[in-house]
């Protein structure tokens, strides 16, 4: 059984996220999505984020047909532990992380970078609001 992993804030779900989940699920048997806890989102995105709380973001993700399991984490160590525990074969990560450290990648057999779909991003949506 091939386990695929992706993670992020997933604050405002948009087409780019759905395309990512669809692709990730297509290359494996199980897709697990890790979601940053609220304090972690604040640290990385600023005090105005997340827009949606962890419980609501998790609920939305659990409703998406491509996703088999959703877990939340508050530290890099928790993220690494999930990747080890679920024996993740492939991590699917946004291509904007190609030049950055991908936390937990040393515990997966493979890392695939997923290119952004058009101009879809939570930051762009937020700026239009």
């Amino acid at each position: 059984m091939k386990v695929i992993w992706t993670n992020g804030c997933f604050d405002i779900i948009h087409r780019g996220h759905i395309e990512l989940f669809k692709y990730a699920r297509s290359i494996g048997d199980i897709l697990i999505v890790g979601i940053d806890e609220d304090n972690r989102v604040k640290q990385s995105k600023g005090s105005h984020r997340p827009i949606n709380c962890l419980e609501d973001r998790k609920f939305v993700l659990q409703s998406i047909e491509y996703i088999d399991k959703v877990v939340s984490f508050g530290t890099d160590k928790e993220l690494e532990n999930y990747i080890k525990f679920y024996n993740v074969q492939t991590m699917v990560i946004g291509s904007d992380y190609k030049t950055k450290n991908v936390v937990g990648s040393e515990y997966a057999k493979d890392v695939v970078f997923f290119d952004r779909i058009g101009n879809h991003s939570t930051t762009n949506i937020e700026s239009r609001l």
Side-chain angles (χ1 to χ4, degrees), residues 103-122:
V103 176
S105 61
E106 64 271 26
Y107 303 109
K109 293 180 181 166
D110 193 20
V111 176
V112 173
F113 292 100
F114 185 81
D115 289 330
R116 182 171 291 210
I117 303 293
N119 199 25
H120 299 286
S121 77
T122 301

Side-chain angles (χ1 to χ4, degrees), residues 23 28 33 53 55 66 72 74 81 86 98 112 121:
Y23 169 76
V33 175
C53 69
E55 181 181 323
Y66 305 111
S72 60
N81 287 340
Y86 288 111
K98 278 185 182 177
V112 173
S121 77

Side-chain angles (χ1 to χ4, degrees), residues 3-129:
V3 178
I4 310 299
W5 172 278
T6 193
N7 62 270
C9 301
F10 305 115
D11 196 3
I12 299 175
I13 298 296
H14 53 73
R15 180 179 178 171
H17 291 137
I18 301 300
E19 295 283 1
L20 168 75
F21 301 142
K22 182 179 177 181
Y23 169 76
R25 186 61 174 77
S26 77
I27 63 170
D29 301 304
I30 295 175
L31 174 59
I32 302 173
V33 175
I35 184 170
D36 294 282
E37 292 178 0
D38 291 345
N39 285 339
R40 188 172 168 97
V41 176
K42 281 189 189 321
Q43 290 172 355
S44 66
K45 304 289 184 181
S47 62
H48 65 289
R49 298 275 302 275
I51 293 166
N52 292 297
C53 69
L54 176 63
E55 181 181 323
D56 291 348
R57 292 182 290 128
K58 200 169 183 179
F59 177 83
V60 170
L61 290 171
Q62 289 168 332
S63 302
I64 297 171
E65 67 179 287
Y66 305 111
I67 299 172
D68 297 294
K69 184 164 189 65
V70 179
V71 296
S72 60
F73 59 92
T75 66
D76 287 354
K77 188 67 177 165
E78 285 179 293
L79 171 55
E80 291 171 351
N81 287 340
Y82 276 130
I83 293 166
K84 288 190 282 189
F85 178 80
Y86 288 111
N87 192 29
V88 171
Q89 281 81 47
T90 302
M91 293 178 74
V92 178
I93 305 297
S95 60
D96 49 327
Y97 278 83
K98 278 185 182 177
T99 60
K100 300 176 184 173
N101 176 45
V102 177
V103 176
S105 61
E106 64 271 26
Y107 303 109
K109 293 180 181 166
D110 193 20
V111 176
V112 173
F113 292 100
F114 185 81
D115 289 330
R116 182 171 291 210
I117 303 293
N119 199 25
H120 299 286
S121 77
T122 301
T123 302
N124 288 342
I125 292 170
E126 183 184 25
S127 70
R128 290 194 312 256
L129 297 175

